[in-house]
Amino acid sequence: MVDPGHGGDDGGAKGTKGLKEKAAALEIGRAVAAKLQAAGFEPLFTREDDTFIPLWDRAKAANAQGADLFISLHLNAARAKAARGSEVYFLSLGQGDDDEVAATENAGAGAAPGAEDSVVASILDDLAQKAFLQDSERLAVAIQGQLNRLAGIKERGVKQAPFVVLRGAAMPAVLVEVAFISNPKEEEKLKDAAFRAKVADAITLGVRRYFAQANGGVRRRMVGGPSLGRP
């Protein structure tokens, strides 16, 4: 499941030259889906146009489709314009490595639907992701390594944070901050289809390496449909 972040009234972060995170994330999502399909995967989308999808509904859609992986795509922002490169996160159920980034991406999510009525539902959401935390970390490491090469950065490091969009995903799930939209040079790169294709290649190679290391052990099968997974 490819999840382009933000959308609709939620524009996300904005670059100094006007690029909106929601638009860049969608274009990157399309490029990632095309590369994944070429590699033999069956990509699905949480959104394919400028539509707002509530954060809590995104993992729910991945669960309903029986997706093997959940990859949420975003653009980072920092006060220091020199900040560059990619960061890949997996879920923290407590305090994370960068709660400021998580707070920005979680803005407007509100409480989980029905949370006030069902403590059990909340516990089940936590258990769903706990079962896949190690696989999520392996996926994050595999993708981060490829994106570091693309950016020419030795290591930014995989991190954990309490992202709402990853909660309740019953599969390995990561959030990719592809680049810093606050960095004018990276903002320009994000407008370039060739650069977005390189990002998509890096993410796809990370996914392929993850499945090769997992030996297919985390594959799930759609109810009444074909299996998603590695070629």
Side-chain angles (χ1 to χ4, degrees), residues 143-175:
I143 293 175
Q144 180 74 72
Q146 299 306 313
L147 289 173
N148 282 342
R149 290 186 179 185
L150 175 62
I153 294 175
K154 184 177 181 180
E155 184 62 63
R156 284 200 66 93
V158 167
K159 300 178 180 179
Q160 276 187 280
F163 288 104
V164 166
V165 74
L166 303 179
R167 287 285 299 273
M171 73 278 303
V174 297
L175 185 144

Side-chain angles (χ1 to χ4, degrees), residues 16 78-84 180-186:
T16 58
R79 295 183 183 89
K81 291 184 179 180
R84 67 187 183 97
F180 279 82
I181 199 170
S182 54
N183 181 316
K185 292 183 179 180
E186 292 205 338

Side-chain angles (χ1 to χ4, degrees), residues 1-73:
M1 179 67 79
V2 178
D3 172 45
H6 306 281
D9 293 336
D10 177 12
K14 188 176 181 179
T16 58
K17 297 183 180 179
L19 181 64
K20 293 182 179 180
E21 182 179 2
K22 68 172 185 177
L26 182 58
E27 290 302 320
I28 293 167
R30 289 169 175 162
V32 169
K35 295 293 184 178
L36 286 171
Q37 188 165 31
F41 295 87
E42 183 181 344
L44 303 167
F45 283 99
T46 54
R47 71 177 180 99
E48 296 187 70
D49 53 25
D50 188 17
T51 301
F52 173 72
I53 307 294
L55 292 179
W56 292 103
D57 290 344
R58 296 177 185 234
K60 186 185 297 183
N63 293 343
Q65 293 285 348
D68 289 306
L69 302 178
F70 182 85
I71 301 174
S72 192
L73 300 168

Side-chain angles (χ1 to χ4, degrees), residues 48-231:
E48 296 187 70
D49 53 25
D50 188 17
T51 301
F52 173 72
I53 307 294
L55 292 179
W56 292 103
D57 290 344
R58 296 177 185 234
K60 186 185 297 183
N63 293 343
Q65 293 285 348
D68 289 306
L69 302 178
F70 182 85
I71 301 174
S72 192
L73 300 168
H74 293 258
L75 283 304
N76 217 335
R79 295 183 183 89
K81 291 184 179 180
R84 67 187 183 97
S86 305
E87 295 178 338
V88 184
Y89 291 82
F90 65 106
L91 181 67
S92 170
L93 297 174
Q95 185 174 357
D97 297 318
D98 198 330
D99 290 343
E100 184 177 348
V101 172
T104 299
E105 300 293 6
N106 291 345
E116 66 280 4
D117 300 322
S118 178
V119 175
V120 173
S122 178
I123 292 173
L124 290 175
D125 279 349
D126 286 354
L127 289 175
Q129 252 306 305
K130 278 182 179 178
F132 292 101
L133 281 181
Q134 287 187 340
D135 286 324
S136 295
E137 182 176 12
R138 282 193 285 267
L139 175 62
V141 169
I143 293 175
Q144 180 74 72
Q146 299 306 313
L147 289 173
N148 282 342
R149 290 186 179 185
L150 175 62
I153 294 175
K154 184 177 181 180
E155 184 62 63
R156 284 200 66 93
V158 167
K159 300 178 180 179
Q160 276 187 280
F163 288 104
V164 166
V165 74
L166 303 179
R167 287 285 299 273
M171 73 278 303
V174 297
L175 185 144
V176 182
E177 298 280 4
V178 173
F180 279 82
I181 199 170
S182 54
N183 181 316
K185 292 183 179 180
E186 292 205 338
E187 182 184 6
E188 281 301 311
K189 287 182 178 181
L190 290 165
K191 296 178 181 179
D192 182 8
F195 176 76
R196 296 194 299 267
K198 290 179 181 178
V199 169
D201 279 331
I203 292 174
T204 299
L205 182 54
V207 169
R208 290 177 63 91
R209 290 193 172 186
Y210 164 77
F211 274 116
Q213 292 167 358
N215 294 319
V218 297
R219 297 180 69 184
R220 301 174 71 239
R221 182 169 294 277
M222 292 174 60
V223 177
S227 172
L228 303 178
R230 60 192 172 100

